[in-house]
Amino acid sequence: MSEVSVTKDAAPVANALVALSGVNKHFGALHVLQDIDLTISRGEVVVVIGPSGSGKSTLCRTVNRLETIDSGSITIDGKPLPQEGKELARLRADVGMVFQSFNLFAHKTVLENVMLGQTKVRKTDKKAAEEKARTLLDRVGVGAQADKYPAQLSGGQQQRVAIARALAMDPKVMLFDEPTSALDPEMINEVLEVMQQLARDGMTMVVVTHEMGFARSAANRVVFMADGRIVEEAEPEQFFNNPRSDRAKDFLSKIL
Ligand code: ADP
Ligand code: MG
């Protein structure tokens, strides 16, 4: 493998699906995102790692506008993020997000959870939405749970439903924010396997995770954040075997 790191400059801009340029974000006095430049190409899998509090979640949340930014720009498919209304709802459908806490609707069945966005945002008719929901639930291995309520499922099953729900919107990109951090250890792999399959199928993905095995096998690029900055980006082999920055070396020595 080449020693040359894959940086945003290496990605052909024409193929950029998500592009952050000079993004800054404060929470009061805290400068939580500092001059973030990040370009994600179509079909690319980017794993974001870094210490707690480094801004990884905030970075994800700015991309589907759960957080506003103070300066800089974010584009999806070359278009700036919409500010409000139907356009914003559509953006959130285009940018699928899976959180640490599964965030399913507790009072809706699994099937209804996966149908809801389709009928409400994409205006898919009910029959087609149900068919698609069942197909996706089968694909993530929880087809048999369709008529249950989220609380009746294990954490791993709930997280796979959350993935199916995001996929039902035909997202352009999927953001995963520590999707396995709240899971019992024996359920982590069943979720990572679904994510691995998505990556192989060509989904564009941004994954915040501490699962370094996943990063090594699925990521095209690792982005290391500390103190609100992107400190280093590289192919996984290079990053894990030969990190350049002291911050990354220190972080890896604590987790590996
Ligand atoms: P990470 O996901 O890397 O752990 P976060 O993006 O969650 O980091 O948080 C980065 C920093 O911003 C932390 O210091 C956190 O306490 C702070 N922060 C996050 N969200 C808010 C908020 N809504 N209001 C104030 N501070 C916040
Ligand atoms: Mg976080």
Side-chain angles (χ1 to χ4, degrees):
M1 196 172 290
S2 128
E3 283 296 294
V4 179
S5 67
V6 178
T7 66
K8 61 188 165 49
D9 298 318
V13 170
N15 212 20
L17 181 58
V18 181
L20 291 85
S21 173
V23 169
N24 284 280
K25 165 83 183 169
H26 297 77
F27 287 119
L30 183 67
H31 198 172
V32 62
L33 295 178
Q34 305 191 30
D35 301 319
I36 300 288
D37 292 321
L38 181 65
T39 303
I40 296 153
S41 302
R42 228 169 282 279
E44 197 181 12
V45 178
V46 172
V47 164
V48 180
I49 67 173
S52 175
S54 56
K56 306 180 298 295
S57 293
T58 306
L59 178 74
C60 286
R61 292 166 59 82
T62 61
V63 174
N64 67 357
R65 224 178 169 284
L66 288 171
E67 299 285 357
T68 56
I69 58 176
D70 300 331
S71 64
S73 75
I74 303 178
T75 58
I76 308 272
D77 243 347
K79 291 189 217 74
L81 299 190
Q83 302 300 302
E84 56 190 12
K86 281 191 180 142
E87 289 293 314
L88 185 56
R90 224 167 288 148
L91 168 85
R92 300 235 166 96
D94 283 345
V95 181
M97 182 131 183
V98 175
F99 302 88
Q100 181 175 331
S101 53
F102 324 121
N103 287 21
L104 297 172
F105 299 112
H107 58 288
K108 304 242 179 247
T109 67
V110 163
L111 184 69
E112 287 164 348
N113 264 279
V114 183
M115 288 175 62
L116 203 62
Q118 297 186 71
T119 52
K120 287 252 190 299
V121 178
R122 296 296 194 205
K123 307 293 178 204
T124 310
D125 75 68
K126 246 184 142 174
K127 189 156 170 281
E130 176 172 345
E131 211 164 287
K132 185 169 188 172
R134 290 194 187 278
T135 303
L136 285 168
L137 288 169
D138 282 341
R139 197 163 128 198
V140 301
V142 289
Q145 319 299 327
D147 298 320
K148 293 187 182 164
Y149 286 85
Q152 296 171 283
L153 272 56
S154 72
Q157 289 173 324
Q158 288 186 58
Q159 196 58 306
R160 285 181 284 148
V161 173
I163 294 171
R165 184 176 61 174
L167 290 176
M169 309 300 277
D170 296 319
K172 292 177 177 167
V173 53
M174 287 279 287
L175 310 178
F176 294 88
D177 189 3
E178 300 202 26
T180 60
S181 295
L183 296 176
D184 291 334
E186 73 272 21
M187 292 169 190
I188 291 174
N189 278 338
E190 66 193 46
V191 172
L192 292 178
E193 274 161 25
V194 167
M195 293 166 61
Q196 285 273 11
Q197 188 57 52
L198 261 186
R200 281 194 291 268
D201 291 346
M203 176 61 75
T204 308
M205 294 163 60
V206 178
V207 184
V208 179
T209 186
H210 300 297
E211 295 294 331
M212 296 303 137
F214 176 85
R216 275 182 185 271
S217 60
N220 300 110
R221 183 161 44 127
V222 173
V223 168
F224 175 71
M225 285 186 77
D227 298 331
R229 291 184 186 277
I230 294 177
V231 174
E232 190 164 340
E233 2 179 359
E235 286 178 15
E237 279 309 305
Q238 185 192 327
F239 179 78
F240 290 114
N241 297 342
N242 194 17
R244 290 180 306 249
S245 63
D246 290 341
R247 288 302 300 266
K249 284 176 194 163
D250 181 55
F251 178 73
L252 289 173
S253 74
K254 286 177 181 140
I255 60 158
L256 291 181

